[in-house]
């Protein structure tokens, strides 16, 4: 090993990374390989959607929080309107997040959605509307996480920018006030 070479960064949360990838891979693998072992569409539908739902829950509630420091949810307010809620770590903590963990999180999120989209195209080409339903459910769960975490990431950046501008403005204001009190 070359002593001049910087150390290789490992995954900070290998178990979380494993489960982040595991349910995505399990849902995709079961859907793809199930035709070899099962003749029942109901079994294929139930197991695939169950695995995709587990993936949705793990990503939304566990790996998103641990790997990228983001959390989102949706509430219905008193007026019956849907309201997105976002939580993120402070900017300093977000900057300290493990780059490999973050990279794995975002790439697998997008690659899984792309895989479901391609499987949907195959279902369309083969005129399999029932399997298109399975793919549609799985794709919608993946896309919901993509939209939620993307909005959450943008919200975190916006909050940091607001905090930074407020901090600068208050420092400037205190500096100006102290300058005038000296005069």
């Amino acid at each position: 090993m070359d002593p001049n070479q910087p150390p290789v960064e490992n995954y900070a949360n290998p178990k979380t990374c494993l489960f982040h990838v595991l349910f995505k891979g399990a849902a995709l693998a079961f859907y793809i390989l199930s035709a070899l072992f099962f003749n029942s569409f109901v079994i294929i539908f139930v197991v695939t959607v169950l695995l995709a739902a587990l993936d949705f829950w793990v990503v939304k509630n566990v790996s998103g929080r641990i790997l990228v420091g983001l959390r989102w949810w949706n509430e219905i307010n008193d007026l019956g309107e849907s309201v997105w809620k976002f939580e993120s770590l402070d900017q300093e903590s977000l900057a300290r997040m493990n780059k490999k963990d973050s990279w794995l999180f975002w790439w697998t999120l997008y690659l899984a959605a792309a895989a479901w989209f391609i499987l949907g195209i195959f279902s369309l080409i083969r005129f399999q509307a029932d399997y298109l339903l399975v793919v549609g459910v799985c794709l919608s769960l993946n896309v919901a996480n993509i939209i939620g975490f993307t909005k959450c990431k943008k919200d975190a950046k916006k909050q940091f920018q607001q905090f930074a501008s407020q901090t600068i403005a208050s420092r400037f204001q205190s500096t100006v006030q102290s300058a005038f009190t000296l005069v």
Side-chain angles (χ1 to χ4, degrees), residues 4-22:
N4 296 330
Q5 197 173 28
V8 176
E9 182 180 33
N10 288 326
Y11 292 103
N13 303 289
K15 290 179 185 173
T16 306
C17 290
L18 172 71
F19 284 102
H20 179 74
V21 174
L22 183 69

Side-chain angles (χ1 to χ4, degrees), residues 23 30 49-50 55 63 66 74 76 89 91 126 129 139 142 151 156 163 177 179 183:
F23 288 117
F30 184 83
V49 170
L50 180 65
D55 172 56
S63 64
I66 294 172
N74 195 296
I76 305 298
L89 296 174
Q91 202 63 30
R126 296 169 65 197
L139 182 60
N142 267 280
K151 284 185 172 188
F163 173 75
Q177 285 176 344
V183 174

Side-chain angles (χ1 to χ4, degrees), residues 13 62-72 86-90 93-94 97-98 101-102 105-106 149 152-153 156:
N13 303 289
V62 180
S63 64
R65 194 182 274 185
I66 294 172
L67 300 179
V68 291
L70 302 172
R71 181 174 172 237
W72 67 270
F86 307 109
E87 274 183 7
S88 64
L89 296 174
D90 58 78
S93 298
L94 284 174
M97 297 299 291
N98 184 287
D101 287 356
S102 179
F105 178 85
W106 289 108
F149 281 108
C152 192
K153 188 176 181 180

